[in-house]
Amino acid sequence: MNATLDPKTISPGAQPDAADVRTGAEVLLRVLREQDVEVVFGYPGGAVLPIYDALFKQNSIRHILVRHEQAAVHAAEGYARSTGKTGVVLVTSGPGATNAVTGLVDALMDSIPLICLSGQVPTHLIGNDAFQEADTTGITRPATKHNYLVKRPGDLSRVLHEAFYVARSGRPGPVLVDLPKDIMVGPAPYHPASGAPHRSYRPVSEPAPDAIAQAVEAMRQAKRPLFYTGGGVINAGPEASEALRRLVRMTGFPCTSTLMGLGAYPTTDRQFLGMLGMHGTYEANLATHGCDLLINIGARFDDRVTGRLDAFSPHSTKIHVDIDPSSINKIVRVDMPIVGDAGRALQMMIAAWEGTASADPVAIAAWWKQIDAWRGIDSLRFRQDPSPDAVIKPQHAIRRLYELARETGRDCFVTTEVGQHQMWAAQHFQYEEPNRWMTSGGLGTMGYGLPAAVGVQVGNPDGLVIDIAGEASTLMNIQELGTICQYRLPVKLFILNNRYMGMVRQWQELLHGSRYSESYSEALPDFVKLAEAFHGTGMRATTLGELDDVIRRMLAHDGPVVADICVDETENCFPMIPSGAAHNEMILGPEQNEQAGRITDEGLMLV
Amino acid sequence: MAPVEEAPITAVISVLVENESGVLARVIGLFSGRGYNIESLTVAPVDEARTRSRINIVTTGTSMVIEQIKALLYRLVPVHRVSDLTALGPHLAREMALVKVVSSGELRTEALRISDAFRARAVDTTVGSFVFELTGAPEKIDSFIDLMRPLGLVEVSRTGIAAIIRGPRTI
Ligand SMILES: Cc1cc2nc3c(=O)[nH]c(=O)nc-3n(C[C@H](O)[C@H](O)[C@H](O)COP(=O)(O)OP(=O)(O)OC[C@H]3O[C@@H](n4cnc5c(N)ncnc54)[C@H](O)[C@@H]3O)c2cc1C
Ligand SMILES: Cc1ncc(C[n+]2csc(CCOP(=O)(O)OP(=O)(O)O)c2C)c(N)n1
Ligand SMILES: [Mg+2]
């Protein structure tokens, strides 16, 4: 079996010499340095005081003090997703660890490599209901890819090196290491990482050549092929996105992407059909429905993507490249499973394709003709009243944001909260490169975007970092404006303020007889004053005439800005495939031909 | 493609794990967290150094679910090996039971007679009770228990199965 072996792995090498015995906290920091950790997002407390003391005495690792432990995890996620490195979080025992749980599950669902270091009560008190004791490994077992409780000083360096290896190997994910206070205070031996393979965890990253050959043969024969790419391509690193671009261009096939995969293939390219799924484009979804070969690279057939399962891409042969064998045949049975790294698989496909062409160029041309007809529906179209005192359409605000941000020529990173604004950001902003789009897809965590933007900005100090937000989500981690101020992070918080939990309001309108139960954002704060209270700059646009000016001022300002963009309160996000419906039962917006999308009773049960 | 509703099958899965704390919780959590069935589960260290344990799990599900269970088990960090004995061919599955029968007179004699036929041993005897020890395939133990029911059966304790492939092959 092929194993992903990282030079910086795991089990201890030579015996430590006497000089290598220091406090557990010092050993911890030394391992972090050896693992190239530059920054830790954290919040102190009793159980981690020895670690904070060790941090105080050194200069190579930077600590970013967040204002809530959940935000520490999201910040580390943003950092990891935008830099390709492993994010590191440090929290205290008890409430520090429990506050981190939402972030850990978020990272687990979205395959983000993280290390969460949590303080724990001293080993002799574990199990005694000691002050700020929680069964952290018990609580986080289903919330992490793996977790450890370090009970012996001799295990400390090995466990920490191993945690990094596990977090970034195979399908990446969060790994928690619970650190009892006595282990941090007392002496512990330091072991460097050794290159020895892990005892048991050795995910396969090299695809089987015959599986690739079979897949490429199917691609040659295909008449209506479609690439369906996902977050796994981003996980596989920028080379994988590069290979995807080459392969898509070589083959001339159309390409769609999940929410998590945006940016792997440039969204402005002609061969890109837009996102697929619940709020995907008409052409992407109908192509998924009508294709005869679906080439899934690093996507996991999520229910937001498949809609009604028995009607999902019913006529296609399915290829699925995934590094996690448990993702394959989990939801949709596929014909050609390929276990391995997306980047490697794409490179092997390129090599196998090179020098040949499609068996049937006429069929491919006809397929494109069909796709272009679907494209003609222009499913993302909306109507913005052009008069200066018109109400701003949220889609228009995002399009202007994109255009004006592009004019700055800066490297732009977008994070989002969760809701309609998130979907509009996926549909109307453009992503030319991977690692520029950070969103909470799997867990859909409101409050993700602002702390994630903190992490992105820390990892990319020269980047233009914008959180495209909703007013309700923003309030879930608004305290991070404090972090943003403290570290002078020039994050732009761009709030599409519709005074509603818009996504909830939309479902209530479409599925619950317009009974807007508890979805109005009552008693909203004045976001401009809020920005000022946190020593930032606030701006507001209430009409179309004010929009461009506010965006320009926001982009030109070199400090943090909160832009309160008051948008149409009743706008809905289209297209939409209602839960439980098939891809060809999409509801289009009022601007497109109204197609009656039937919402079944079964759909009401789904989320 | 439509997920075809198939009939559930029973599978015996053996998992070789690193003998570390929490590993059993991980395995069980995987089943409970995803709504999979565990019909029986046994675990004990199987190497000299006691660093590796073997877990034998009996579970039921469609073939897609069984495949998923195996892939999920294999993905756990402390798991060395996952083998589906049901898929690997003929295998042996044995368990041990302790069965308590409280009765007197005719019923008591009958219980003793049946236990003899099943090669169960009376490992504890009082004037009013027996504890029988019985080893065998789960079906054999089921039928023994069925027969004991009218004869004063009051309590059963079973180990769950240990399983192994027949012949020279190993997992
Ligand atoms: C309000 C809301 C609406 C949404 N609507 C949509 C929608 O309309 N369309 C949509 O697409 N999503 C939507 N989502 C997101 C959705 O819930 C899922 O998060 C998303 O579809 C999953 O993306 P993915 O399939 O790319 O998988 P990811 O979650 O990104 O998983 C990555 C997959 O790649 C594999 N992988 C990891 N690393 C590698 C590697 N190196 N090589 C190969 N494989 C690898 C992993 O094992 C995994 O199977 C929505 C979310 C929210 C909150
Ligand atoms: C922590 C959390 N709680 C609840 C939800 C359910 N939810 C999904 S979208 C949404 C409304 C979001 O409102 P807002 O941030 O204003 O965004 P909008 O949809 O209006 O753009 C809610 C409540 C969630 N995703 N996350
Ligand atoms: Mg809102």
Side-chain angles (χ1 to χ4, degrees):
Chain A
M1 187 176 68
N2 288 305
T4 346
L5 288 187
D6 191 306
K8 298 189 199 80
T9 33
I10 32 185
S11 47
Q15 281 302 306
D17 55 41
D20 267 349
V21 176
R22 43 189 96 199
T23 70
E26 285 164 353
V27 168
L28 164 66
L29 294 187
R30 187 159 167 190
V31 172
L32 296 188
R33 275 194 292 275
E34 199 186 326
Q35 294 287 345
D36 293 330
V37 174
E38 288 161 1
V39 58
V40 170
F41 299 90
Y43 205 94
V48 286
L49 282 179
I51 303 173
Y52 275 85
D53 203 39
L55 272 172
F56 189 82
K57 295 179 193 154
Q58 55 87 53
N59 281 317
S60 55
I61 296 174
R62 196 174 167 207
H63 179 273
I64 301 291
L65 176 69
V66 293
R67 301 304 192 261
H68 187 292
E69 289 86 352
Q70 181 193 350
V73 188
H74 294 323
E77 288 185 271
Y79 176 86
R81 191 70 165 182
S82 63
T83 62
K85 298 177 190 163
T86 302
V88 181
V89 176
L90 172 58
V91 298
T92 193
S93 66
T98 55
N99 269 352
V101 170
T102 301
L104 293 173
V105 179
D106 193 88
L108 182 70
M109 297 284 276
D110 286 346
S111 303
I112 311 289
L114 289 189
I115 301 293
C116 179
L117 305 163
S118 54
Q120 184 53 280
V121 301
T123 43
H124 67 275
L125 290 181
I126 290 178
N128 282 354
D129 297 331
F131 176 63
Q132 293 196 328
E133 180 184 0
D135 174 7
T136 303
T137 46
I139 291 168
T140 61
R141 199 170 289 125
T144 53
K145 178 173 175 186
H146 194 58
N147 62 18
Y148 303 86
L149 168 61
V150 179
K151 285 191 192 146
R152 283 187 307 258
D155 292 342
L156 181 63
S157 1
R158 176 187 60 81
V159 164
L160 289 166
H161 284 301
E162 186 176 313
F164 277 90
Y165 163 75
V166 171
R168 64 178 164 233
S169 308
R171 180 185 192 159
V175 175
L176 178 137
V177 186
D178 207 20
L179 300 164
K181 191 170 184 180
D182 54 328
I183 307 269
M184 292 294 97
V185 175
Y190 170 77
H191 304 280
S194 93
H198 188 270
R199 300 180 303 288
S200 49
Y201 185 66
R202 300 174 196 175
V204 175
S205 64
E206 190 65 13
D210 49 335
I212 296 283
Q214 203 197 351
V216 170
E217 188 46 37
M219 283 160 61
R220 260 189 212 112
Q221 300 303 326
K223 295 186 189 323
R224 299 185 312 280
L226 177 67
F227 282 102
Y228 151 43
T229 62
V233 181
I234 312 281
N235 284 128
E239 316 76 47
S241 294
E242 204 39 60
L244 174 67
R245 289 156 195 230
R246 276 193 66 199
L247 184 63
V248 171
R249 283 168 192 158
M250 278 167 96
T251 55
F253 294 173
C255 177
T256 179
S257 168
T258 66
L259 183 75
M260 295 309 290
L262 292 176
Y265 194 84
T267 55
T268 48
D269 190 88
R270 207 194 78 84
Q271 276 173 264
F272 189 68
L273 308 189
M275 180 172 81
L276 83 167
M278 185 174 270
H279 293 292
T281 64
Y282 190 69
E283 55 270 32
N285 284 329
L286 287 198
T288 307
H289 192 81
C291 66
D292 72 344
L293 181 69
L294 188 67
I295 311 156
N296 173 343
I297 317 276
R300 57 182 173 83
F301 294 108
D302 185 82
D303 54 74
R304 285 308 81 155
V305 164
T306 60
R308 203 174 89 213
L309 261 185
D310 59 6
F312 174 71
S313 193
H315 317 296
S316 63
T317 300
K318 295 176 184 71
I319 298 171
H320 187 184
V321 177
D322 203 295
I323 204 156
D324 180 357
S326 75
S327 281
I328 296 178
N329 287 329
K330 178 174 70 174
I331 295 164
V332 171
R333 215 183 259 288
V334 298
D335 306 277
M336 299 180 198
I338 300 175
V339 176
D341 176 64
R344 280 299 296 140
L346 286 162
Q347 284 154 4
M348 289 163 79
M349 285 176 175
I350 289 171
W353 181 273
E354 226 143 22
T356 63
S358 284
D360 195 345
V362 178
I364 301 290
W367 178 224
W368 270 111
K369 207 167 155 223
Q370 168 70 75
I371 289 171
D372 286 337
W374 288 328
R375 223 176 217 167
I377 297 275
D378 196 3
S379 60
L380 299 182
R381 188 161 36 116
F382 57 92
R383 182 171 299 157
Q384 171 67 59
D385 175 347
S387 63
D389 53 358
V391 175
I392 301 166
K393 288 285 182 185
Q395 302 95 316
H396 179 73
I398 291 176
R399 289 206 173 182
R400 288 308 291 153
L401 177 65
Y402 166 67
E403 286 155 5
L404 295 172
R406 195 183 45 178
E407 278 176 16
T408 67
R410 295 179 61 193
D411 197 4
C412 186
F413 297 80
V414 172
T415 71
T416 75
E417 306 293 337
V418 171
Q420 291 178 318
H421 63 276
Q422 176 189 27
M423 293 299 111
W424 286 318
Q427 294 172 337
H428 297 279
F429 207 92
Q430 303 299 330
Y431 307 93
E432 299 295 320
E433 299 295 333
N435 308 99
R436 301 299 189 280
W437 162 249
M438 274 62 53
T439 197
S440 170
L443 195 62
T445 310
M446 291 170 70
Y448 165 89
L450 190 58
V454 166
V456 174
Q457 190 79 75
V458 166
N460 305 272
D462 299 325
L464 169 60
V465 181
I466 306 170
D467 174 21
I468 298 181
E471 80 296 336
S473 298
T474 299
L475 290 175
M476 286 219 176
N477 269 319
I478 191 71
Q479 77 288 345
E480 293 313 309
L481 286 177
T483 311
I484 285 170
C485 168
Q486 179 180 347
Y487 297 97
R488 301 178 196 285
L489 303 173
V491 165
K492 317 297 181 214
L493 172 55
F494 190 74
I495 305 175
L496 296 173
N497 186 347
N498 54 10
R499 311 188 74 87
Y500 273 98
M501 299 171 194
M503 188 57 90
V504 174
R505 196 202 55 75
Q506 174 167 348
W507 281 53
Q508 288 171 333
E509 179 183 330
L510 299 177
L511 288 105
H512 297 274
S514 297
R515 289 178 296 280
Y516 299 125
S517 176
E518 305 293 327
S519 56
Y520 184 66
S521 290
E522 206 81 56
L524 279 174
D526 178 332
F527 286 106
V528 173
K529 285 189 185 150
L530 193 61
E532 286 159 7
F534 279 101
H535 320 288
T537 303
M539 308 177 177
R540 177 173 295 123
T542 51
T543 59
L544 182 68
E546 296 166 349
L547 178 67
D548 278 17
D549 180 52
V550 164
I551 296 175
R552 281 207 178 85
R553 282 194 292 129
M554 175 184 91
L555 295 174
H557 186 69
D558 62 2
V561 176
V562 178
D564 184 18
I565 311 295
C566 303
V567 297
D568 190 340
E569 296 181 10
T570 57
E571 190 68 16
N572 284 332
C573 183
F574 292 117
M576 177 178 180
I577 301 176
S579 287
H583 280 185
N584 55 356
E585 297 175 318
M586 203 175 329
I587 309 180
L588 294 169
E591 292 304 306
Q592 291 78 18
N593 309 330
E594 185 72 52
Q595 288 196 338
R598 278 174 299 103
I599 296 165
T600 58
D601 284 348
E602 217 180 326
L604 274 173
M605 303 285 293
L606 300 169
V607 287
Chain B
M1 201 187 64
V4 196
E5 274 304 321
E6 343 163 15
I9 50 174
T10 296
V12 178
I13 300 173
S14 286
V15 193
L16 210 55
V17 299
E18 192 71 11
N19 194 7
E20 62 184 34
S21 77
V23 62
L24 192 58
R26 283 180 213 288
V27 170
I28 293 172
L30 185 158
F31 281 79
S32 62
R34 300 192 185 241
Y36 302 142
N37 230 0
I38 300 184
E39 305 214 324
S40 104
L41 182 146
T42 57
V43 54
V46 287
D47 65 335
E48 245 175 277
R50 303 179 74 79
T51 57
R52 289 188 184 193
S53 289
R54 179 169 174 145
I55 301 177
N56 298 295
I57 304 168
V58 183
T59 181
T60 51
T62 59
S63 62
M64 206 157 154
V65 164
I66 303 287
E67 286 308 312
Q68 183 65 16
I69 289 173
K70 287 190 277 183
L72 287 169
L73 283 168
Y74 193 67
R75 175 169 99 149
L76 295 177
V77 171
V79 166
H80 289 281
R81 215 172 303 155
V82 178
S83 294
D84 182 351
L85 300 192
T86 330
L88 285 177
H91 63 275
L92 295 166
R94 292 290 180 268
E95 71 172 315
M96 202 261 271
L98 295 171
V99 177
K100 186 173 286 186
V101 176
V102 178
S103 55
S104 56
E106 191 73 358
L107 296 183
R108 185 171 159 92
T109 338
E110 182 64 3
L112 202 58
R113 202 186 57 75
I114 290 173
S115 72
D116 215 38
F118 274 79
R119 300 218 182 105
R121 289 198 303 139
V123 287
D124 177 72
T125 310
T126 68
V127 280
S129 71
F130 286 120
V131 174
F132 294 114
E133 177 194 304
L134 174 69
T135 321
E139 306 77 53
K140 173 177 161 184
I141 293 176
D142 291 344
S143 40
F144 181 72
I145 290 168
D146 282 345
L147 288 169
M148 286 297 147
R149 204 159 273 131
L151 305 178
L153 178 99
V154 292
E155 194 174 339
V156 177
S157 180
R158 296 173 71 153
T159 57
I161 64 151
I164 206 157
I165 307 174
R166 283 182 186 273
R169 249 175 108 180
T170 58
I171 62 164

